[in-house]
Amino acid sequence: MSSRLVRPLLIAAAVAGLAACATAPSSGPAPALASTAFSTADFAWSSAAGSGAVEGRITFRQNGRAYACTGSVALTPVTPYTRARFQALYGSTDRAALPESVVRARTVPDPNADYRSFVRPGVCSEGRFRIEGLPDGAWFLIAPVAAEGGEDRVVLMRRIQVSGGRTIQVTL
């Protein structure tokens, strides 16, 4: 065989071999993406009693000023809805420190969805807090803080993971 015929045959064989390795299209439905619509079913896991806890302290400083907790902290269950909401409010689903006025000024889809009954509240005193009885799962920790004199408050947000019924230590 001449080299002019061999080369096109080799290319054709290589293309045919690659085509045989290609993944065939699935005849089933495409995997469903999680909806970001509010659904109480997505929050159900967070209502269970658990043996996990989060214990934390506030050490936040900004522009050389120390901030202290303003009395409350809260844990919000991570769900498709709260991930979308926190991304819109805080610009992150991992961690943030934003002026309270900025967070309040941002809009979110479905702002009337009421998930407050799933939020685990806590008290922050002398820069420390503890929330107990948590089931395993991912939570958004929220802690409003203020500099001495109570000037513009800053809201601290951090995503945490409770697992194995252990106490998670957090410093904000």
Side-chain angles (χ1 to χ4, degrees):
M1 238 186 225
S2 80
S3 63
R4 282 204 256 175
L5 290 176
V6 172
R7 186 173 177 175
L9 287 175
L10 289 175
I11 292 172
V15 168
L18 288 174
C21 293
T23 304
S26 170
S27 60
L33 298 175
S35 170
T36 59
F38 177 76
S39 167
T40 56
D42 290 339
F43 288 84
W45 67 269
S46 68
S47 296
S51 57
V54 59
E55 190 171 86
R57 61 189 183 111
I58 305 293
T59 63
F60 183 71
R61 296 183 69 80
Q62 188 175 53
N63 299 326
R65 298 172 59 199
Y67 283 67
C69 56
T70 59
S72 66
V73 294
L75 289 174
T76 301
V78 174
T79 68
Y81 171 78
T82 57
R83 270 193 302 273
R85 182 179 179 89
F86 280 56
Q87 182 65 47
L89 292 175
Y90 298 98
S92 174
T93 57
D94 184 42
R95 65 176 58 206
L98 295 174
E100 184 179 56
S101 59
V102 170
V103 176
R104 289 187 184 277
R106 293 183 173 171
T107 58
V108 294
D110 197 8
N112 297 318
D114 189 1
Y115 61 90
R116 290 176 295 181
S117 64
F118 301 101
V119 173
R120 301 285 184 110
V123 175
C124 185
S125 177
E126 298 181 17
R128 298 198 171 275
F129 59 89
R130 182 175 174 86
I131 302 174
E132 301 175 322
L134 302 172
D136 288 353
W139 300 83
F140 290 116
L141 172 61
I142 303 296
V145 297
E148 189 172 314
E151 295 175 21
D152 290 334
R153 289 187 347 163
V154 171
V155 182
L156 306 177
M157 182 277 293
R158 168 121 20 115
R159 185 179 187 276
I160 63 166
Q161 180 74 37
V162 175
S163 62
R166 293 188 301 273
T167 297
I168 306 303
Q169 302 291 325
V170 178
T171 301
L172 298 172

